[in-house]
Amino acid sequence: MADLVAILTSAVVLGSIYGLVAIGMTLIYGILRVLDMSQGSMVMAGSFVGWAILSSAGWNPVVAMVVAFVLTFALGAVTQLVSVQPLLGRGGFDFEMITFITTFAVAIVIQNVALEVFGPRQKGVPPVFDGSVEVYSGVFLPYQSIAMALVSIGLMALLGLFLAKSRWGMAIRAVAQDLDAARLMTVPIRRMFPLVMGLASALAGIGGVFLGGLYFASPSAGELPLLYALIVVIFGGLGSLPGTIYAAYAIGLIQAAVSVTIATTWALPILYAVILVVLVVRPQGLAGRPSEARL
Amino acid sequence: MTEPVLDVRGLSAGYGETTVIRGVDLQVNPGETVVLIGPNGHGKTTLLRTISGLIQPSAGEIRLDGVRVDRRRAEELGGLGLVHIPQGDHLFPELTVEENLLMGAFPRASWRRRREALTQAYELFPQLRERRGQRARTLSGGERRQVALARGLMREARLLLVDEPSLGLAPVLIEAVYAAVHRVAEAGTTILLVEENFTYIGEIADRVCVLEMGRIVRTGSLTELLADRTIAESYLGVL
């Protein structure tokens, strides 16, 4: 029973943070058909914000999240403007492949700027919340993890609400489904694209504040989250928001289950084996639908 | 003399290296319904897509109410009162019927009046009210066409472009679609409509232009064109 509780709590915590970091990538892929490789550096930037603000006494975690949001929003919007916007509507090349590389290039630049500014050493980020609670006999859950899960779920719910209910949210979904028709409805796509990439990056940035508390802030802190986000996004079915969330929790669950019942060291090999099998059987991912190229 | 709502001069456009329309001249006057007739693949859709800014022209001028618009993008032109109901509907497949309609009222000024516009749309197409919560991809072809038309009527159009509203529909449905277009024309909307033949346009066409090989080869009233045997035979349509 303790094992089960441990697996489930850990799955929820892991799944939530994977979901938060990956959902922005799905959003970007949905409207732009860009696999945004700069999302990892947004996590990294967020963890440095967490380090800078939380390690100076008296700063509160809400401020850290707000600053991370604003900073990575701007960083994401600028990334779009330099690496994707100039390529729009030109034709004659493989848009998805080229933007995969251009956003990756921006990520490397950001990473190296961080290296110049902060140096290569890992910096401990104080947890947003200290201490832990015993959820079941022998199963302890750090407050940091609870906060991370709650904030991630809250932000994903807010994003879902925004997309489902607001005028702009509806327009974002419309752009993802039929770009030309959305333009005929007067949706200003050239203004929307950088804003959406900013929003997506800001979610990853807030994720970074928490991940920094679990691991460290360092220039390479975005590499692993980027890899996970890529796997979640593809496993869920490129461009599918519900698929991304299923995939995030599925991956969290597999990882937690293997770690608790077998051994932590087996978590990754078994996870990748499962992903390999699922993708070979169902290459479009859990919730993906075959779709045609568009930009 | 009144200024035309749409004034196209010497317009050429195409895709990449391929020129599809070559030096098209076309005027549509206020309140008029002009029908563009021509065989498949001769540039009717390309002409509409160029007018609405989805394709950038390689030469020529487009004026909307006297204002040059040939370098504007589609998303800007919509704000100037151009409404384009595209060929093949282009609905948003995962949005509901009502959300599709609401997208038609996306510009801020129209958004404020979206409730009244929805009520009007459901009056014109009562079937859509029953389907309002259904995703567009689950609709039948006739229902989709209704959504496409209704979505185009959600905001006020200075110029309405309609691309082959009969495409792929059974004759009885086509008649219903044209009845709707007719009502819109009667209300005074300026319309440029594309069709492949004369079968359904008798009621609505004030003027007909024939587009062949990317050029407008004849313009006149339907009666005038029907008097020309070669044209009449080409475009009477087989049913």
Side-chain angles (χ1 to χ4, degrees):
Chain A
M1 187 62 195
D3 275 2
L4 189 65
V5 173
I7 289 172
L8 289 180
T9 49
S10 171
V12 169
V13 170
L14 287 173
S16 302
I17 189 69
Y18 292 162
L20 182 65
V21 175
I23 203 149
M25 230 165 151
T26 295
L27 196 59
I28 294 167
Y29 186 82
I31 72 156
L32 267 166
R33 303 295 186 269
V34 169
L35 253 184
D36 180 6
M37 297 295 283
S38 72
Q39 289 294 297
S41 47
M42 303 302 164
V43 173
M44 181 268 288
S47 65
F48 271 108
V49 169
W51 166 73
I53 290 180
L54 296 172
S55 57
S56 42
W59 282 86
N60 102 30
V62 176
V63 174
M65 282 189 266
V66 170
V67 172
F69 185 94
V70 172
L71 182 86
T72 48
F73 188 101
L75 205 53
V78 171
T79 300
Q80 197 280 345
L81 288 173
V82 300
S83 67
V84 180
Q85 196 88 336
L87 296 166
L88 290 177
R90 301 239 308 256
F93 60 94
D94 184 337
F95 182 81
E96 282 189 38
M97 188 51 80
I98 298 301
T99 52
F100 181 79
I101 301 298
T102 54
T103 54
F104 186 66
V106 171
I108 298 297
V109 171
I110 295 174
Q111 191 173 334
N112 281 281
V113 169
L115 188 63
E116 284 300 318
V117 175
F118 300 110
R121 284 185 48 197
Q122 298 184 329
K123 299 184 190 332
V125 180
V128 176
F129 297 101
D130 235 337
S132 63
V133 61
E134 188 171 14
V135 285
Y136 192 77
S137 60
V139 183
F140 289 88
L141 196 58
Y143 286 125
Q144 169 84 351
S145 300
I146 298 174
M148 181 168 83
L150 289 180
V151 168
S152 300
I153 293 169
L155 287 173
M156 287 189 280
L158 276 179
L159 178 70
L161 209 59
F162 165 71
L163 290 174
K165 298 291 178 199
S166 73
R167 172 169 167 261
W168 281 97
M170 192 170 75
I172 288 173
R173 286 185 291 146
V175 167
Q177 292 168 33
D178 192 320
L179 183 67
D180 274 353
R183 296 178 63 198
L184 291 177
M185 304 300 132
T186 77
V187 177
I189 52 166
R190 275 164 197 266
R191 263 189 291 148
M192 174 190 276
F193 290 154
L195 294 178
V196 169
M197 217 154 122
L199 179 65
S201 304
L203 297 179
I206 290 182
V209 174
F210 287 96
L211 284 173
L214 283 188
Y215 306 104
F216 299 96
S218 81
S220 59
E223 288 168 2
L224 210 55
L226 174 67
L227 183 63
Y228 271 101
L230 261 177
I231 291 166
V232 167
V233 163
I234 291 168
F235 191 58
L238 268 175
S240 162
L241 291 168
T244 300
I245 294 182
Y246 304 149
Y249 285 105
I251 288 174
L253 183 63
I254 295 169
Q255 227 184 327
V258 175
S259 300
V260 172
T261 57
I262 306 171
T264 315
T265 45
W266 278 99
L268 288 184
I270 291 182
L271 172 64
Y272 282 99
V274 170
I275 287 169
L276 177 65
V277 170
V278 171
L279 286 182
V280 167
V281 173
R282 211 181 140 76
Q284 71 272 39
L286 295 179
R289 270 202 206 94
S291 64
E292 44 190 313
R294 187 189 55 131
L295 267 169
Chain B
M1 174 157 168
T2 54
E3 191 177 46
V5 174
L6 176 71
D7 190 359
V8 173
R9 295 197 186 268
L11 192 70
S12 299
Y15 305 88
E17 302 287 296
T18 324
T19 305
V20 179
I21 55 169
R22 304 150 192 277
V24 166
D25 291 307
L26 177 70
Q27 283 76 42
V28 184
N29 296 310
E32 198 181 22
T33 298
V34 173
V35 176
L36 201 61
I37 290 270
N40 217 348
H42 282 230
K44 304 185 301 295
T45 295
T46 304
L47 177 56
L48 288 202
R49 287 172 62 84
T50 310
I51 291 170
S52 65
L54 288 172
I55 300 172
Q56 294 294 310
S58 51
E61 296 180 0
I62 306 170
R63 284 190 168 78
L64 199 63
D65 283 317
V67 181
R68 275 288 289 269
V69 296
D70 39 84
R71 293 289 151 203
R72 306 265 189 119
R73 298 178 193 285
E75 51 271 34
E76 287 177 74
L77 276 170
L80 298 177
L82 189 96
V83 172
H84 182 166
I85 300 175
Q87 188 181 48
D89 301 333
H90 278 273
L91 301 185
F92 304 110
E94 303 298 326
L95 298 192
T96 65
V97 167
E98 186 148 307
E99 286 173 331
N100 266 280
L101 298 184
L102 286 172
M103 279 309 296
F106 183 78
R108 192 171 294 280
S110 319
W111 188 256
R112 274 188 222 108
R113 293 191 301 272
R114 65 192 181 279
R115 290 291 145 206
E116 297 100 276
L118 268 182
T119 311
Q120 276 179 17
Y122 290 143
E123 271 164 23
L124 196 56
F125 302 101
Q127 224 179 323
L128 298 187
R129 192 192 291 275
E130 300 158 28
R131 301 258 183 258
R132 64 206 292 176
Q134 221 169 300
R135 284 174 199 256
R137 72 176 153 83
T138 66
L139 301 178
S140 71
E143 290 164 343
R144 284 179 206 206
R145 189 63 38 84
Q146 290 182 27
V147 175
L149 289 170
R151 186 179 65 178
L153 302 176
M154 286 291 289
R155 60 192 151 99
E156 215 150 290
R158 181 72 185 129
L159 173 68
L160 181 63
L161 308 178
V162 191
D163 197 345
E164 232 181 300
S166 66
L167 185 75
L169 293 189
V172 57
L173 292 174
I174 297 176
E175 272 159 34
V177 161
Y178 267 97
V181 175
H182 191 59
R183 277 199 293 273
V184 175
E186 292 280 275
T189 307
T190 308
I191 301 178
L192 176 60
L193 185 137
V194 158
E195 265 302 342
E196 282 208 349
N197 59 54
F198 290 144
T199 315
Y200 301 101
I201 62 167
E203 294 268 293
I204 61 160
D206 295 316
R207 209 146 47 86
V208 179
C209 302
V210 179
L211 186 80
E212 287 179 2
M213 302 295 287
R215 290 192 176 84
I216 298 211
V217 293
R218 279 295 298 273
T219 299
S221 71
L222 187 58
T223 347
E224 282 164 16
L225 292 187
L226 284 172
D228 183 328
R229 276 201 61 176
T230 51
I231 288 188
E233 276 169 12
S234 311
Y235 299 111
L236 268 178
V238 189
L239 272 176

